[in-house]
Amino acid sequence: MQERLQKIIARAGIASRRHAEELIQSGLVTVNGRTVTELGSKADESTDHIKVSGKLLRPEHDRIYLVLNKPPEVVSTMSDPEGRRSLQDLLHAVAVRVFPVGRLEYHSMGLVFLTNDGELANRMLKAHRLRQTYLMKLKSLLTFEEIEQLVRSTGVRISRVRGEESPWYEVTLTEARRDALRNRLFQTGHPVEKIKRIRLGNLELGSLQPGEHRTPSSEEVASLSRAIEGKLEPGSEARIKRAHVRHSPADVDPHRGGRRGGQQHAKRQSGSGGERRRGFKATKRSRTTSRKAR
């Protein structure tokens, strides 16, 4: 299929679409041995030999997607000028060049997504609604009130990990909210001691051991692409709502073990309605008395 050259180059991960246009105008792109400098020129990635700066572009079916469990004290890049361990040290068996999408701090662990699909990577980096789930170990336990304040101030979903005596929490948020949450926890005296990413969009870490990686299925990649656009998978919205209700401290009466928010709301509704009725009756009596006096 014929497509614009800059789109093909950007999708291959070599450059952004704007930079690809600059490469074309600079005479660094050839199609079947012919230099192309005109923007808007088209080619067929599956049949044409497209080179950028002398390097042949791989066709779409050669794209690689990996889910890696990053151990702590590994930088989330393919190399490190300081000589620290990098992701490349964990991918000796992968012959194709890939690059990580997003960031995970040096001391953090968990899911890292790597690919050579530049278009998908660019969409992920620009996505503001792509949800990520972390396990966070805090220095101390949060109270119900503190959890409510965190939810209101940062928009995250947070719940205590069941079966853990130490203060481990499962937190779901977007990339932009992560640093805000960590700063808020630090300010309230609950600094994060450990952090592990277990889910990115629909991709899950599962049973991968530290340092291991797997290739996601084509269905997982397609689902990730939909999640980037904020389109939830069927049933996922219901799971989110159920989880939120189950862990929401504001809806649980600690003495009766049931929901209280709805009951209090109903009482407020009935109370306000009674006040309005009493006010109406008082106004009606005053008007009647006034007419009799006249």
Side-chain angles (χ1 to χ4, degrees), residues 141 160-168:
L141 288 172
R160 177 91 180 273
V161 176
R162 295 180 179 180
E164 292 284 348
E165 295 182 1
S166 56
W168 279 95

Side-chain angles (χ1 to χ4, degrees), residues 44-69:
D44 190 333
E45 184 182 14
S46 62
T47 59
D48 292 328
H49 284 73
I50 306 170
K51 290 186 177 181
V52 179
S53 300
K55 295 182 179 180
L56 183 66
L57 263 64
R58 290 181 297 271
E60 185 170 3
H61 55 75
D62 287 340
R63 292 192 188 126
I64 302 296
Y65 306 96
L66 297 175
V67 172
L68 169 73
N69 186 353

Side-chain angles (χ1 to χ4, degrees), residues 207-219:
S207 59
L208 276 180
Q209 297 301 306
E212 293 182 348
H213 66 270
R214 68 176 179 88
T215 301
S217 66
S218 57
E219 290 79 8

Side-chain angles (χ1 to χ4, degrees), residues 204-239:
E204 296 191 2
L205 192 62
S207 59
L208 276 180
Q209 297 301 306
E212 293 182 348
H213 66 270
R214 68 176 179 88
T215 301
S217 66
S218 57
E219 290 79 8
E220 285 181 292
V221 175
S223 182
L224 173 64
S225 181
R226 291 191 293 271
I228 293 171
E229 306 301 328
K231 300 175 182 178
L232 295 175
E233 294 301 300
S236 62
E237 185 175 4
R239 289 195 299 270

Side-chain angles (χ1 to χ4, degrees), residues 42-227:
K42 294 184 178 182
D44 190 333
E45 184 182 14
S46 62
T47 59
D48 292 328
H49 284 73
I50 306 170
K51 290 186 177 181
V52 179
S53 300
K55 295 182 179 180
L56 183 66
L57 263 64
R58 290 181 297 271
E60 185 170 3
H61 55 75
D62 287 340
R63 292 192 188 126
I64 302 296
Y65 306 96
L66 297 175
V67 172
L68 169 73
N69 186 353
K70 186 188 90 68
E73 299 184 1
V74 173
V75 293
S76 294
T77 57
M78 302 308 291
S79 62
D80 181 59
E82 300 179 16
R84 296 173 296 182
R85 291 184 70 199
S86 67
L87 298 179
Q88 186 64 57
D89 297 319
L90 309 174
L91 300 172
H92 292 300
V94 180
V96 180
R97 177 181 175 272
V98 293
F99 50 88
V101 183
R103 61 189 178 91
L104 202 58
E105 288 84 355
Y106 179 69
H107 293 288
S108 301
M109 50 189 169
L111 192 155
V112 174
F113 180 68
L114 303 100
T115 184
N116 59 356
D117 187 340
E119 183 181 39
L120 179 64
N122 288 332
R123 289 171 57 212
M124 289 180 66
L125 293 173
K126 295 177 182 178
H128 300 295
R129 295 178 290 181
L130 184 61
R131 294 191 174 276
Q132 306 179 34
T133 301
Y134 295 84
L135 295 180
M136 290 186 177
K137 182 184 178 183
L138 308 184
K139 186 176 181 180
S140 54
L141 288 172
L142 296 169
T143 65
F144 282 171
E145 292 76 12
E146 288 173 326
I147 292 177
E148 289 178 339
Q149 291 174 1
L150 285 172
V151 171
R152 286 196 299 267
S153 61
T154 63
V156 305
R157 289 199 302 273
I158 180 169
S159 60
R160 177 91 180 273
V161 176
R162 295 180 179 180
E164 292 284 348
E165 295 182 1
S166 56
W168 279 95
Y169 292 86
E170 181 174 309
V171 181
T172 300
L173 70 169
T174 59
E175 178 78 15
R177 296 285 185 175
R178 183 175 58 181
D179 291 339
L181 175 63
R182 296 187 70 165
N183 292 336
R184 184 76 176 179
L185 288 168
F186 181 80
Q187 292 169 1
T188 56
H190 302 284
V192 178
E193 295 185 341
K194 294 182 180 180
I195 183 169
K196 179 180 182 180
R197 181 160 57 191
I198 60 173
R199 192 176 300 113
L200 175 62
N202 65 299
L203 298 176
E204 296 191 2
L205 192 62
S207 59
L208 276 180
Q209 297 301 306
E212 293 182 348
H213 66 270
R214 68 176 179 88
T215 301
S217 66
S218 57
E219 290 79 8
E220 285 181 292
V221 175
S223 182
L224 173 64
S225 181
R226 291 191 293 271

